[in-house]
């Protein structure tokens, strides 16, 4: 089996980069997600290169060819190359010196199998020659990929001890690539070490969970995680996945793309204040906090458009889908709420004195306009006349 590397070589930036690294001499190989996903025939935006060159040598060669080299993770051997608009992560082969579950100290190596041995899953340790497409599989990743099995490299408990986030990564990869039951050894190791998640930053936990929730249907995997108590140490508020399952069905019925924040809201208790506190605990952005707190409010107002006018279309779609109203959500998903076609200056021209009465009158007009379905032209004028009478 070979990789159809022409998919990448069609891009000028990739060709320039490979030439600068002398990749025809075997100094660089595609690795990880790009190889895995191309073999599966699924889209993959990120492109990673592993190289036997040292980070300093990578920078020297790239800059000599006019390619921007950004030392984004130079302590761990990673250089971000920007070549003719194409962004590629170039990482020197590594082996771990020490790990503590959150970060690793590495040393550089020229041994490809040693680099593969420090990766998490067998399907992530596939390398491909960028020109010939020849595949290099050190741990049975191709067989696991064919069987749609996600399996740790080596001893699962050791992999998890090196980086506790691999517990959550395992379930995300199982949700996306797995077929059938989870690997028994992996599942037992993740269950045994679930408390290790408490040592991680809440930002890393949130980032990984939102990636999981963004998949087509994470419900079966989330159920498995709840059965095994995986989330209990960091999110004890999540008790079941019934609302998530209903939401996924509503999204599909409405033809609306999955949204990880909306799905997160479906897993949490429908309590706006509690939901906002959980979002703050996970260090989500202020915008994300407000959104999931709003989604927890079950009130739907006087109709889908009125709801969208008050909350914004995104917020209205969230509430409607969570309320099990996919048809109403589909009807407004592309609707842009209008602006009230009158302002305080217009009212002053019509004799309303400057001051609090302006705001009160505008509110009466807005409420009537919303209730009437946002009319325009003469119909709106009559509405204004009635409010001023």
């Amino acid at each position: 089996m070979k990789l159809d590397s022409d998919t990448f070589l069609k891009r000028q930036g990739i060709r320039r980069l490979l030439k600068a690294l002398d990749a025809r001499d075997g100094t660089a190989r595609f690795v990880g997600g790009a190889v895995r996903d191309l073999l599966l025939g699924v889209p993959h935006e990120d492109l990673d290169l592993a190289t036997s060159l040292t980070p300093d040598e990578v920078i020297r060669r790239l800059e000599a060819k006019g390619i921007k080299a950004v030392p984004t993770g130079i302590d761990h051997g990673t250089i971000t190359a920007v070549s003719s608009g194409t962004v590629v992560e170039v990482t020197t082969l590594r082996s771990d010196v020490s790990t503590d579950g959150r970060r690793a100290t590495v040393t550089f190596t020229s041994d490809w199998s040693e680099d593969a041995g420090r990766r998490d899953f067998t399907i992530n340790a596939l390398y491909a020659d960028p020109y010939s497409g020849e595949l290099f599989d050190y741990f049975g990743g191709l067989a696991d990929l064919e069987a749609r099995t996600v399996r740790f490299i080596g001893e699962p408990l050791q992999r998890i001890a090196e980086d506790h986030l691999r517990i959550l990564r395992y379930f995300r990869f199982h949700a996306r690539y797995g077929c059938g039951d989870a690997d028994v050894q992996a599942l037992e190791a993740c269950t045994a070490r679930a408390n290790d998640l408490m040592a991680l930053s809440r930002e890393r936990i949130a980032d990984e969970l939102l990636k999981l929730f963004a998949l087509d249907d994470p419900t079966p995997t989330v159920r498995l995680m709840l059965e095994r108590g995986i989330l209990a140490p960091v999110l004890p508020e999540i008790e079941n996945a019934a609302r998530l399952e209903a939401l996924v069905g509503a999204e599909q019925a409405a033809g609306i793309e999955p949204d990880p924040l909306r799905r997160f809201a479906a897993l949490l208790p429908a309590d706006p204040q509690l939901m906002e506190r959980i979002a703050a605990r996970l260090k989500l952005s202020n915008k994300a906090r407000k959104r999931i707190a709003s989604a927890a409010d079950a009130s739907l107002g006087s109709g889908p458009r009125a709801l969208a006018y008050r909350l914004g279309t995104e917020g209205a779609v969230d509430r409607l889908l969570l309320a099990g109203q996919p048809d109403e959500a589909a009807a407004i998903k592309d609707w842009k709420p209008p602006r009230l076609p009158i302002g305080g200056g217009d009212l002053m021209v019509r004799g309303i004195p400057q001051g609090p009465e302006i705001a009160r009158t505008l509110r009466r007009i807005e409420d009537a306009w919303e209730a009437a379905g946002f009319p325009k032209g003469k119909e709106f004028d009559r509405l204004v006349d009635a409010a001023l009478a």
Side-chain angles (χ1 to χ4, degrees):
M1 182 183 293
K2 289 189 175 183
L3 186 76
D4 181 13
S5 54
D6 287 345
T7 302
F8 300 129
L9 295 177
K10 290 176 183 177
R11 295 154 73 176
Q12 180 187 3
I14 300 297
R15 296 196 304 273
R16 284 186 65 209
L17 177 60
L18 294 173
K19 186 176 181 180
L21 296 175
D22 289 332
R24 287 193 184 276
D25 293 336
T27 59
R29 296 173 184 172
F30 295 129
V31 65
V35 177
R36 177 195 63 233
D37 289 351
L38 190 56
L39 288 170
L40 290 173
V42 298
H44 192 93
E45 293 297 323
D46 297 333
L47 186 57
D48 295 301
L49 276 173
T51 179
S52 56
L53 303 172
T54 65
D56 289 342
E57 180 64 12
V58 170
I59 293 174
R60 188 191 70 77
R61 293 193 184 196
L62 295 184
E63 291 182 343
K65 298 297 183 180
I67 298 173
K68 185 177 181 180
V70 184
T72 46
I74 195 164
D75 289 344
H76 289 82
T78 300
I79 307 298
T80 300
V82 184
S83 176
S84 300
T86 298
V87 179
V88 179
E89 298 290 326
V90 182
T91 302
T92 300
L93 303 181
R94 303 171 289 186
S95 63
D96 289 334
V97 174
S98 64
T99 59
D100 64 3
R102 293 176 296 173
R103 61 185 70 85
T105 301
V106 302
T107 186
F108 303 126
T109 180
S110 58
D111 187 330
W112 292 90
S113 63
E114 193 173 7
D115 183 75
R118 70 176 299 277
R119 296 176 181 269
D120 48 11
F121 311 123
T122 61
I123 62 174
N124 282 343
L126 297 171
Y127 301 75
D129 183 281
Y131 292 104
S132 69
E134 179 184 0
L135 290 167
F136 301 88
D137 178 13
Y138 301 97
F139 296 99
L142 288 172
D144 287 341
L145 196 61
E146 185 176 359
R148 303 304 288 263
T149 295
V150 182
R151 188 167 56 87
F152 280 103
I153 292 172
E155 170 54 52
L157 288 172
Q158 181 181 343
R159 294 282 84 82
I160 291 171
E162 292 165 355
D163 184 352
H164 304 324
L165 192 67
R166 286 173 174 169
I167 296 172
L168 298 182
R169 279 176 58 82
Y170 175 78
F171 288 100
R172 173 165 66 89
F173 273 75
H174 175 67
R176 183 174 181 186
Y177 299 105
C179 182
D181 294 336
D183 177 73
V184 173
Q185 283 188 309
L187 189 57
E188 292 299 330
C190 289
T191 304
R193 303 306 305 179
N195 282 338
D196 290 351
L197 293 174
M198 297 175 69
L200 295 172
S201 73
R202 295 303 179 260
E203 294 94 333
R204 292 187 75 196
I205 291 171
D207 180 66
E208 194 61 40
L209 286 176
L210 291 176
K211 288 177 182 177
L212 167 63
F213 299 154
L215 299 177
D216 287 343
D217 185 4
T219 309
T221 298
V222 171
R223 278 210 173 96
L224 178 61
M225 296 173 77
L226 294 175
E227 289 170 6
R228 290 286 181 149
I230 303 298
L231 296 177
V234 289
L235 281 169
E237 296 87 354
I238 299 179
E239 297 180 347
N240 65 73
R243 288 183 72 217
L244 174 62
E245 182 178 30
L247 172 62
V248 171
E251 288 173 340
Q252 293 171 347
I256 292 175
E257 290 294 313
D259 185 278
L261 284 174
R262 184 192 304 131
R263 289 173 167 192
F264 188 30
L267 285 166
L268 296 172
D271 179 336
Q273 292 184 338
L274 174 61
M275 204 174 284
E276 190 160 1
R277 288 198 299 271
I278 294 170
R281 192 172 79 216
L282 292 176
K283 306 295 178 65
L284 297 181
S285 67
N286 287 334
K287 182 179 179 181
R289 295 180 197 182
K290 291 177 181 177
R291 181 177 173 191
I292 66 170
S294 173
D297 187 335
S299 60
L300 300 179
S302 57
R305 288 200 171 190
L307 188 66
Y309 179 72
R310 295 296 179 182
L311 298 181
T313 302
E314 183 180 66
V317 166
D318 287 346
R319 285 198 194 178
L320 291 165
L321 289 174
L322 286 165
Q325 298 186 18
D327 292 342
E328 289 80 355
I332 64 160
K333 66 178 182 179
D334 298 319
W335 184 66
K336 294 183 179 179
R339 294 183 62 181
L340 182 66
I342 195 170
D346 301 308
L347 295 182
M348 291 175 64
V349 169
R350 299 187 63 164
I352 304 296
Q354 186 174 5
E357 185 60 26
I358 292 284
R360 287 193 290 267
T361 304
L362 282 175
R363 176 56 61 89
R364 287 200 302 273
I365 292 171
E366 184 178 37
D367 289 345
W369 180 59
E370 178 186 315
F374 310 102
K376 301 177 182 178
K378 292 183 178 179
E379 189 177 350
F380 177 74
D381 293 339
R382 286 193 292 272
L383 184 150
V384 172
D385 290 341
L388 295 176

